Amino acid sequence: MKIRSMVSIPKEEDFPEANEDNFLLRDDKVSCALSDGASESFDSQAWSKILCQSFNFVVKRKKRGSFLHEKTIEQILSHARSSFNEKYLKKTLSWSQEASFNRGSFATILGLIDHGTTVEIFSVGDSVAVWNQNDRLTMLSMHNDYNFNKKPTLLSTLYSEKESFFPNFGKDWDVIKLKKKEIKNDELFLLTDAIASRIIEISIQDTVDDAISILKKNDEELKDWINKEKNLGLLKKDDYTIVWVELND
Protein backbone atom coordinates (compact mmCIF):
# COMPACT_ATOMS: atom_id res chain seq x y z
CA MET A 1 0.00 0.00 0.00
CA LYS A 2 0.97 3.62 -0.45
CA ILE A 3 -0.16 6.63 1.57
CA ARG A 4 -1.01 9.31 -0.98
CA SER A 5 -1.69 11.88 1.72
CA MET A 6 -2.37 12.24 5.44
CA VAL A 7 -4.01 15.44 6.60
CA SER A 8 -4.74 16.01 10.30
CA ILE A 9 -6.26 19.31 11.37
CA PRO A 10 -6.61 20.03 15.13
CA LYS A 11 -9.82 21.36 16.66
CA GLU A 12 -7.82 24.37 17.89
CA GLU A 13 -5.60 25.78 15.13
CA ASP A 14 -3.35 27.52 17.67
CA PHE A 15 -2.74 24.29 19.59
CA PRO A 16 -1.76 21.58 17.07
CA GLU A 17 0.06 19.67 19.83
CA ALA A 18 -3.33 18.96 21.43
CA ASN A 19 -4.53 16.93 18.42
CA GLU A 20 -5.63 13.55 19.82
CA ASP A 21 -5.77 11.76 16.45
CA ASN A 22 -2.85 9.50 15.57
CA PHE A 23 -1.94 7.66 12.38
CA LEU A 24 0.92 5.22 11.83
CA LEU A 25 2.08 3.29 8.76
CA ARG A 26 4.28 0.25 9.36
CA ASP A 27 7.77 0.47 7.84
CA ASP A 28 7.14 -2.45 5.47
CA LYS A 29 3.75 -0.94 4.46
CA VAL A 30 1.90 -4.17 5.31
CA SER A 31 -0.41 -2.36 7.77
CA CYS A 32 -1.46 1.00 9.11
CA ALA A 33 -3.73 2.27 11.88
CA LEU A 34 -5.70 5.38 12.75
CA SER A 35 -6.88 6.13 16.30
CA ASP A 36 -8.95 8.97 17.78
CA GLY A 37 -8.36 9.61 21.47
CA ALA A 38 -11.30 10.62 23.69
CA SER A 39 -10.73 14.16 24.98
CA GLU A 40 -12.28 13.55 28.39
CA SER A 41 -9.85 10.75 29.32
CA PHE A 42 -6.29 10.75 30.69
CA ASP A 43 -3.60 11.38 28.03
CA SER A 44 -5.73 9.92 25.25
CA GLN A 45 -3.20 11.28 22.75
CA ALA A 46 -0.56 8.86 24.07
CA TRP A 47 -3.08 6.01 24.25
CA SER A 48 -4.22 6.48 20.64
CA LYS A 49 -0.59 6.54 19.48
CA ILE A 50 0.24 3.36 21.41
CA LEU A 51 -2.83 1.60 19.98
CA CYS A 52 -1.58 2.34 16.46
CA GLN A 53 1.90 1.10 17.34
CA SER A 54 0.54 -2.09 18.92
CA PHE A 55 -1.74 -2.84 15.97
CA ASN A 56 1.20 -2.61 13.56
CA PHE A 57 3.42 -4.64 15.89
CA VAL A 58 1.02 -7.58 16.28
CA VAL A 59 -0.59 -7.98 12.84
CA LYS A 60 0.81 -10.10 10.01
CA ARG A 61 0.16 -10.55 6.32
CA LYS A 62 -1.87 -13.65 5.54
CA LYS A 63 -2.38 -14.94 2.00
CA ARG A 64 -5.45 -17.03 2.77
CA GLY A 65 -8.30 -16.53 5.18
CA SER A 66 -8.71 -13.68 7.66
CA PHE A 67 -6.26 -12.65 10.34
CA LEU A 68 -8.18 -10.37 12.71
CA HIS A 69 -10.02 -12.57 15.20
CA GLU A 70 -10.75 -12.04 18.90
CA LYS A 71 -7.47 -13.66 19.92
CA THR A 72 -5.48 -11.25 17.75
CA ILE A 73 -7.41 -8.24 19.01
CA GLU A 74 -6.79 -9.34 22.61
CA GLN A 75 -3.07 -9.51 21.78
CA ILE A 76 -3.16 -5.98 20.37
CA LEU A 77 -4.92 -4.70 23.50
CA SER A 78 -2.58 -6.55 25.86
CA HIS A 79 0.49 -5.16 24.09
CA ALA A 80 -0.94 -1.63 24.09
CA ARG A 81 -1.93 -1.70 27.75
CA SER A 82 1.47 -2.99 28.81
CA SER A 83 3.18 -0.25 26.78
CA PHE A 84 0.92 2.47 28.20
CA ASN A 85 1.36 1.37 31.81
CA GLU A 86 5.12 1.08 31.34
CA LYS A 87 5.16 4.67 30.04
CA TYR A 88 3.68 5.95 33.32
CA LEU A 89 5.36 3.51 35.70
CA LYS A 90 8.43 5.75 35.87
CA LYS A 91 6.53 9.04 36.10
CA THR A 92 5.47 10.87 39.24
CA LEU A 93 1.82 11.85 38.97
CA SER A 94 -0.06 14.35 41.09
CA TRP A 95 -3.03 12.96 43.06
CA SER A 96 -5.47 14.35 40.48
CA GLN A 97 -3.45 12.89 37.59
CA GLU A 98 -3.28 9.53 39.36
CA ALA A 99 -7.04 9.54 39.90
CA SER A 100 -7.56 10.34 36.22
CA PHE A 101 -5.06 7.64 35.20
CA ASN A 102 -6.95 5.08 37.31
CA ARG A 103 -10.21 5.95 35.54
CA GLY A 104 -8.60 4.92 32.26
CA SER A 105 -7.82 6.31 28.84
CA PHE A 106 -10.03 5.69 25.81
CA ALA A 107 -9.75 5.75 22.02
CA THR A 108 -11.14 4.31 18.81
CA ILE A 109 -9.06 2.25 16.41
CA LEU A 110 -9.24 1.69 12.66
CA GLY A 111 -6.66 -0.77 11.34
CA LEU A 112 -5.85 -1.99 7.84
CA ILE A 113 -3.78 -4.97 6.68
CA ASP A 114 -2.59 -5.37 3.07
CA HIS A 115 -2.67 -9.09 2.27
CA GLY A 116 -1.58 -8.71 -1.35
CA THR A 117 -4.68 -9.12 -3.50
CA THR A 118 -7.01 -8.46 -0.55
CA VAL A 119 -7.24 -5.93 2.25
CA GLU A 120 -8.57 -6.50 5.77
CA ILE A 121 -10.11 -3.64 7.78
CA PHE A 122 -10.81 -3.62 11.52
CA SER A 123 -12.72 -0.99 13.47
CA VAL A 124 -13.77 -0.32 17.05
CA GLY A 125 -15.71 2.91 17.46
CA ASP A 126 -16.57 5.67 15.01
CA SER A 127 -13.41 6.09 12.94
CA VAL A 128 -14.45 5.03 9.45
CA ALA A 129 -12.91 3.50 6.31
CA VAL A 130 -14.69 4.43 3.06
CA TRP A 131 -14.18 3.39 -0.55
CA ASN A 132 -16.01 3.56 -3.87
CA GLN A 133 -17.51 0.20 -4.77
CA ASN A 134 -19.89 0.07 -7.74
CA ASP A 135 -20.22 3.87 -7.62
CA ARG A 136 -21.41 3.74 -4.03
CA LEU A 137 -19.60 5.03 -0.96
CA THR A 138 -19.02 1.80 0.97
CA MET A 139 -17.86 1.19 4.54
CA LEU A 140 -17.93 -1.47 7.25
CA SER A 141 -21.46 -2.64 7.95
CA MET A 142 -21.41 -1.22 11.50
CA HIS A 143 -21.11 2.31 10.07
CA ASN A 144 -24.10 2.04 7.74
CA ASP A 145 -26.81 4.30 9.25
CA TYR A 146 -24.42 5.00 12.15
CA ASN A 147 -25.44 7.66 14.68
CA PHE A 148 -22.34 9.82 15.04
CA ASN A 149 -23.97 11.80 17.86
CA LYS A 150 -24.00 8.83 20.23
CA LYS A 151 -21.07 7.90 22.46
CA PRO A 152 -18.91 5.45 20.51
CA THR A 153 -17.45 2.17 21.72
CA LEU A 154 -13.87 2.85 22.81
CA LEU A 155 -10.85 0.75 23.69
CA SER A 156 -9.68 1.32 27.25
CA THR A 157 -6.36 1.11 29.07
CA LEU A 158 -8.20 -0.70 31.85
CA TYR A 159 -7.94 -4.49 31.97
CA SER A 160 -11.10 -6.58 31.95
CA GLU A 161 -11.65 -10.32 32.19
CA LYS A 162 -13.52 -10.34 28.91
CA GLU A 163 -13.86 -7.33 26.64
CA SER A 164 -17.48 -6.21 26.73
CA PHE A 165 -17.59 -5.23 23.06
CA PHE A 166 -16.77 -8.69 21.66
CA PRO A 167 -20.36 -10.06 21.81
CA ASN A 168 -21.57 -7.10 19.72
CA PHE A 169 -19.88 -7.89 16.41
CA GLY A 170 -21.20 -5.68 13.62
CA LYS A 171 -22.41 -3.06 16.14
CA ASP A 172 -19.53 -2.13 18.47
CA TRP A 173 -16.74 -3.55 16.31
CA ASP A 174 -16.37 -4.96 12.83
CA VAL A 175 -13.92 -6.67 10.47
CA ILE A 176 -14.11 -7.04 6.70
CA LYS A 177 -11.83 -8.64 4.14
CA LEU A 178 -12.33 -7.61 0.53
CA LYS A 179 -10.65 -8.01 -2.83
CA LYS A 180 -8.73 -4.97 -4.00
CA LYS A 181 -10.24 -5.26 -7.48
CA GLU A 182 -13.65 -4.45 -5.93
CA ILE A 183 -12.36 -0.99 -4.87
CA LYS A 184 -12.65 1.65 -7.59
CA ASN A 185 -9.35 3.30 -8.56
CA ASP A 186 -7.57 1.24 -5.89
CA GLU A 187 -8.35 4.03 -3.37
CA LEU A 188 -9.47 3.79 0.23
CA PHE A 189 -9.82 6.54 2.86
CA LEU A 190 -9.49 6.39 6.65
CA LEU A 191 -11.42 9.10 8.52
CA THR A 192 -12.05 10.15 12.10
CA ASP A 193 -15.68 10.62 13.09
CA ALA A 194 -16.50 14.30 12.50
CA ILE A 195 -15.21 14.37 8.93
CA ALA A 196 -16.62 10.88 8.25
CA SER A 197 -20.12 11.94 9.26
CA ARG A 198 -20.10 14.95 6.91
CA ILE A 199 -18.56 13.03 3.99
CA ILE A 200 -21.24 10.33 4.25
CA GLU A 201 -23.93 13.04 4.19
CA ILE A 202 -22.40 14.62 1.09
CA SER A 203 -22.21 11.27 -0.71
CA ILE A 204 -25.95 10.83 -0.11
CA GLN A 205 -27.06 14.42 -0.79
CA ASP A 206 -24.79 14.95 -3.80
CA THR A 207 -22.61 12.22 -5.34
CA VAL A 208 -19.87 9.80 -4.32
CA ASP A 209 -17.46 11.68 -6.62
CA ASP A 210 -18.23 14.95 -4.79
CA ALA A 211 -17.46 13.31 -1.45
CA ILE A 212 -14.21 11.74 -2.66
CA SER A 213 -13.02 14.98 -4.29
CA ILE A 214 -13.16 16.59 -0.83
CA LEU A 215 -11.08 13.77 0.65
CA LYS A 216 -8.38 14.42 -1.97
CA LYS A 217 -7.92 18.09 -1.10
CA ASN A 218 -4.50 19.22 0.10
CA ASP A 219 -3.88 20.71 3.56
CA GLU A 220 -4.75 24.31 2.74
CA GLU A 221 -7.77 23.45 0.59
CA LEU A 222 -9.09 21.16 3.30
CA LYS A 223 -8.59 23.78 6.02
CA ASP A 224 -10.60 26.30 3.97
CA TRP A 225 -13.37 23.77 3.33
CA ILE A 226 -13.53 22.74 7.02
CA ASN A 227 -13.72 26.37 8.20
CA LYS A 228 -16.58 27.07 5.77
CA GLU A 229 -18.45 23.93 6.86
CA LYS A 230 -18.01 24.83 10.55
CA ASN A 231 -19.23 28.38 9.95
CA LEU A 232 -22.33 26.96 8.27
CA GLY A 233 -22.91 24.65 11.23
CA LEU A 234 -22.49 21.56 9.04
CA LEU A 235 -19.37 20.23 10.74
CA LYS A 236 -18.88 19.84 14.47
CA LYS A 237 -15.74 21.12 16.16
CA ASP A 238 -13.23 18.29 16.47
CA ASP A 239 -9.87 17.02 15.29
CA TYR A 240 -10.14 16.02 11.61
CA THR A 241 -7.94 13.36 10.05
CA ILE A 242 -8.08 12.01 6.49
CA VAL A 243 -5.71 9.31 5.22
CA TRP A 244 -5.76 8.60 1.47
CA VAL A 245 -4.53 5.04 0.90
CA GLU A 246 -3.62 3.67 -2.51
CA LEU A 247 -3.75 -0.12 -2.58
CA ASN A 248 -1.22 -1.72 -4.91
CA ASP A 249 -0.98 -5.46 -5.60
Side-chain angles (χ1 to χ4, degrees):
M1 80 176 80
K2 175 184 177 183
I3 304 303
R4 288 288 301 270
S5 68
M6 197 287 288
V7 181
S8 193
I9 297 171
K11 61 174 74 72
E12 300 285 354
E13 274 193 60
D14 295 335
F15 300 98
E17 69 280 358
N19 189 337
E20 288 154 329
D21 292 350
N22 273 285
F23 171 75
L24 186 64
L25 173 69
R26 205 161 86 171
D27 290 343
D28 61 7
K29 298 182 174 61
V30 163
S31 66
C32 64
L34 173 66
S35 179
D36 178 1
S39 300
E40 66 273 13
S41 64
F42 177 81
D43 202 354
S44 60
Q45 185 185 74
W47 175 232
S48 68
K49 183 177 181 179
I50 287 170
L51 276 172
C52 291
Q53 292 169 337
S54 296
F55 180 87
N56 285 331
F57 179 80
V58 171
V59 301
K60 293 173 183 158
R61 172 173 278 179
K62 191 171 182 179
K63 294 295 182 185
R64 297 180 183 277
S66 297
F67 180 80
L68 288 162
H69 300 289
E70 287 188 22
K71 184 177 179 182
T72 319
I73 297 160
E74 286 171 346
Q75 288 173 350
I76 293 166
L77 271 171
S78 177
H79 185 276
R81 286 167 174 159
S82 295
S83 299
F84 188 83
N85 288 330
E86 186 178 337
K87 175 182 172 67
Y88 283 98
L89 194 63
K90 301 169 186 175
K91 292 191 176 185
T92 302
L93 302 177
S94 67
W95 68 267
S96 59
Q97 287 175 323
E98 188 171 350
S100 184
F101 174 85
N102 290 335
R103 286 193 293 270
S105 302
F106 301 87
T108 68
I109 190 166
L110 179 62
L112 185 151
I113 312 175
D114 186 340
H115 291 300
T117 58
T118 62
V119 62
E120 193 170 7
I121 308 164
F122 162 62
S123 179
V124 178
D126 56 7
S127 293
V128 182
V130 298
W131 61 95
N132 187 339
Q133 187 171 352
N134 300 322
D135 294 319
R136 176 175 172 268
L137 196 70
T138 310
M139 61 204 84
L140 274 70
S141 61
M142 67 178 280
H143 292 128
N144 288 324
D145 303 318
Y146 190 86
N147 179 4
F148 286 92
N149 293 316
K150 73 172 186 177
K151 187 175 181 179
T153 301
L154 300 169
L155 296 181
S156 170
T157 52
L158 302 177
Y159 289 86
S160 62
E161 195 169 312
K162 184 66 177 175
E163 301 299 337
S164 61
F165 65 87
F166 277 136
N168 296 320
F169 179 75
K171 293 175 71 176
D172 291 341
W173 68 290
D174 209 349
V175 176
I176 190 172
K177 189 172 183 181
L178 64 154
K179 295 175 181 176
K180 289 182 182 178
K181 64 183 180 181
E182 296 175 359
I183 301 170
K184 188 174 180 179
N185 297 328
D186 216 28
E187 296 172 332
L188 186 145
F189 302 87
L190 310 180
L191 318 171
T192 48
D193 63 307
I195 195 79
S197 175
R198 184 66 184 126
I199 288 298
I200 292 166
E201 285 178 348
I202 289 168
S203 74
I204 295 168
Q205 294 166 0
D206 300 318
T207 69
V208 173
D209 289 340
D210 289 328
I212 288 177
S213 69
I214 293 166
L215 298 178
K216 292 183 175 181
K217 291 179 182 292
N218 63 33
D219 292 52
E220 290 306 314
E221 291 172 338
L222 194 60
K223 282 178 186 175
D224 289 342
W225 179 83
I226 283 172
N227 285 331
K228 287 176 185 175
E229 293 288 297
K230 283 198 293 187
N231 290 337
L232 291 169
L234 297 171
L235 194 62
K236 72 175 183 179
K237 185 178 179 180
D238 203 347
D239 298 325
Y240 313 97
T241 299
I242 299 170
V243 183
W244 176 6
V245 184
E246 187 177 274
L247 302 167
N248 298 305
D249 289 349

